[in-house]
Amino acid sequence: MHYIYKIEYLNDSQYGFTHQKSTIDAAMTVKQFGEPELEKGKVVIMDSIDVKGFFDAAWWPAILKGLRDAKCPQNLYQLTQDYFRERIAVISFNSSTMEKNITKGCPEGSCCEPGLWNIQYNSLLALKYTNHTKAVAFADDLVIMIKAESIREAENIANVELSKISAWAVNNKIRFNEHKSNACDKKKEERKKRN
């Protein structure tokens, strides 16, 4: 991970598992994006998205691609590739044993786990979002904020951005947790409070 931090490969919008960043920094970034728009009477939509079983979801080919994109030195790339090679899950019960080859997941508690996750998730944060959009991540939690003149415009932009995120998820073998994912329209909420 030293190399990844040294070349500043990771997107600034990742606040989890990164040095000198916290949930407070992530919350302040969200506030700094949305508050000025709300003060101008514009609409801000916030979509909160959570990855289902994220440490188990880290897909090795995507992580290795991230390392290639970062032009990782060959020795470090090879070390990571070897770490993933020939991993097998073994389940024994009664007198039977089952084995399955593994192609994803990082052992929980491993010192590599957070860094490998950030390398894969980096490609999501690097998607080409519109200039109306801000993506903020804390580990596997993602907030997509959209600013617009009207609710209809914000919803249209949100649909475009969410389709990009959905395509990224399919390409990276990631599933989102529907029960932990939400959308919020700040202008609509403020109108409800006033009434």
Side-chain angles (χ1 to χ4, degrees), residues 19-170:
H19 301 290
Q20 305 296 314
K21 288 186 176 182
S22 69
T23 53
I24 294 169
D25 296 319
M28 291 305 294
T29 299
V30 168
K31 181 181 181 216
Q32 289 164 0
F33 179 85
E35 192 172 54
E37 302 305 316
L38 294 172
E39 287 173 356
K40 294 180 211 169
K42 296 186 179 180
V43 174
V44 177
I45 290 180
M46 184 169 74
D47 287 315
S48 169
I49 302 168
D50 179 76
V51 173
K52 198 171 197 173
F54 80 103
F55 282 135
D56 294 333
W59 188 46
W60 301 344
I63 294 168
L64 293 171
K65 181 186 182 311
L67 290 173
R68 288 191 303 273
D69 291 347
K71 298 181 178 30
C72 183
Q74 190 62 31
N75 63 327
L76 297 176
Y77 179 84
Q78 199 67 45
L79 181 67
T80 307
Q81 195 174 36
D82 287 345
Y83 179 76
F84 294 149
R85 188 169 291 150
E86 297 178 17
R87 293 270 175 169
I88 297 170
V90 179
I91 299 173
S92 297
F93 55 94
N94 293 335
S95 60
S96 299
T97 301
M98 287 177 45
E99 293 184 359
K100 182 179 180 187
N101 290 330
I102 301 172
T103 60
K104 59 193 303 191
C106 294
E108 206 159 328
S110 157
C111 62
C112 300
E113 162 187 61
L116 294 175
W117 173 258
N118 277 354
I119 290 168
Q120 177 174 358
Y121 217 51
N122 194 62
S123 61
L124 173 62
L125 297 170
L127 291 175
K128 290 186 176 158
Y129 297 107
T130 70
N131 59 356
H132 295 271
T133 305
K134 177 75 176 164
V136 176
F138 192 88
D140 71 315
D141 296 315
L142 178 69
V143 170
I144 299 293
M145 298 192 65
I146 291 125
K147 58 184 178 182
E149 298 291 332
S150 68
I151 292 173
R152 176 169 287 196
E153 180 189 11
E155 287 174 346
N156 288 339
I157 294 167
N159 287 334
V160 169
E161 304 298 34
L162 292 172
S163 69
K164 291 176 194 173
I165 292 167
S166 180
W168 176 89
V170 169

